[in-house]
C-alpha cells in the first residue's frame, strides 16, 4: 500500500518550490511565486518552466547564473520587489530564449550593461530610482525596451540637477550625451596625468643641469687652486 501511495500520490516531473504554485498555460509550465515574501530567487525551480512570476516579493539581488538551468524560460516577472543589485551574468544561459523581462518598480539605480545588452527580451525598467549615466543611456539605445513603459524611466539622480525628475528619454532627446560627458572627464584626467609626468621630467632635468653646473664650478675652482707649471 505504501508503494502504491508513493507511486500515485507524488506528482510526476519536477517538484514545485515551496510557497509557489506550478501550473500550465497553453501547454507550457508556469511557476507562480507572487506575493510570497521571498527574499531570494528559489533554487529548486523546475528546469522545464516557461513562465516564471516572482513579482511582489522582497528579493534584493539577482546573482550570477540565477536562471542558468532554466533553458526553456521565456518570461520572467520580477516587478515590485526590492532589487538593488543585478550581477553582470545574472541572465547568463537564458539570454537567447527570453522574450519578456519585467524589472519595473524596484530599487535599481544602475545596472551592468552586459547584463541586459545580451538579451533579446522586451524589457520593462520603469519606476526605479535610476542614476542617469552612460551605461543606462547605452541600455536605452541598444536594448529592446517596452514602448509602453519607456517614458517612466526617470532620472532619480544625475550629474546635473536640471535632469533630476525628468524622463531619461526626454533628456536624451534634448541633446544630452552622458557618454560624452564621461569621455570628457576621462580626457581631462588623462591630460592632468600627462601634465604631471611632464612636470616631473622638467624638474628632473633642471635639477640635473644645476647639479652638473655646480660640479663644473667646483672642478674649475679646484683647477685654479693648483700651482702653475711651465713646460
Amino acid at each position: 500500500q505504501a508503494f502504491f501511495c508513493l507511486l500515485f500520490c507524488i506528482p510526476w516531473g519536477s517538484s514545485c518550490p515551496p510557497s509557489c504554485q506550478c501550473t500550465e498555460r497553453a501547454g507550457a509550465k508556469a511557476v507562480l511565486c507572487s506575493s510570497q515574501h521571498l527574499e531570494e530567487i528559489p533554487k529548486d525551480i523546475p528546469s522545464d518552466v516557461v513562465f516564471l512570476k516572482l513579482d511582489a516579493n522582497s528579493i534584493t539581488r539577482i546573482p550570477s547564473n540565477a536562471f542558468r538551468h532554466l533553458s526553456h524560460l521565456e518570461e520572467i516577472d520580477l516587478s515590485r520587489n526590492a532589487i538593488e543589485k543585478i550581477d553582470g551574468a545574472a541572465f547568463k544561459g537564458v539570454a537567447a530564449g527570453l522574450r519578456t523581462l519585467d524589472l519595473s518598480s524596484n530599487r535599481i539605480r544602475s545596472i551592468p550593461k552586459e547584463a541586459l545588452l545580451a538579451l533579446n527580451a522586451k524589457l520593462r525598467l520603469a519606476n526605479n530610482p535610476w542614476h542617469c549615466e552612460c551605461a543606462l543611456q547605452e541600455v536605452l539605445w541598444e536594448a529592446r525596451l517596452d514602448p509602453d513603459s519607456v517614458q517612466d524611466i526617470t532620472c532619480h539622480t544625475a550629474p546635473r540637477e536640471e535632469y533630476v525628475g525628468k524622463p531619461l528619454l526626454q533628456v536624451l532627446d534634448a541633446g544630452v550625451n552622458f557618454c560624452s560627458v564621461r569621455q570628457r572627464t576621462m580626457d581631462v584626467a588623462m591630460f592632468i596625468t600627462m601634465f604631471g609626468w611632464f612636470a616631473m621630467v622638467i624638474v628632473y632635468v633642471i635639477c640635473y643641469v644645476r647639479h652638473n653646473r655646480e660640479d663644473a664650478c667646483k672642478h674649475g675652482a679646484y683647477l685654479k687652486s693648483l700651482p702653475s707649471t711651465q713646460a
Side-chain angles (χ1 to χ4, degrees), residues 59-185:
I59 299 171
T60 58
R61 180 191 174 199
I62 307 178
S64 296
N65 302 311
F67 309 99
R68 188 170 186 174
H69 65 292
L70 308 177
S71 58
H72 300 281
L73 202 56
E74 294 182 5
E75 295 185 14
I76 306 176
D77 186 355
L78 284 159
S79 63
R80 296 184 295 154
N81 274 278
I83 298 171
E84 296 180 353
K85 180 175 177 56
I86 299 176
D87 291 355
F91 304 103
K92 187 175 182 179
V94 298
L98 203 62
R99 294 186 304 168
T100 302
L101 174 60
D102 194 342
L103 293 170
S104 59
S105 301
N106 278 281
R107 300 175 184 173
I108 307 170
R109 298 189 69 250
S110 62
I111 189 168
K113 63 180 181 180
E114 60 269 20
L116 298 183
L117 294 182
L119 296 176
N120 294 320
K122 183 183 293 184
L123 301 175
R124 298 189 182 101
L125 304 176
N127 301 318
N128 281 288
W130 291 107
H131 174 63
C132 289
E133 57 179 349
C134 182
L136 182 59
Q137 175 179 315
E138 290 177 343
V139 168
L140 190 66
W141 280 350
E142 300 184 33
R144 291 184 57 214
L145 298 178
D146 182 5
D148 295 332
S149 62
V150 69
Q151 288 292 345
D152 294 322
I153 301 176
T154 304
C155 297
H156 184 74
T157 56
R160 297 178 61 175
E161 189 68 25
E162 62 189 272
Y163 306 144
V164 175
K166 293 183 178 179
L168 177 58
L169 191 61
Q170 177 183 336
V171 175
L172 296 178
D173 285 343
V176 178
N177 189 335
F178 294 106
C179 295
S180 66
V181 171
R182 185 179 69 174
Q183 185 62 43
R184 285 198 299 270
T185 303

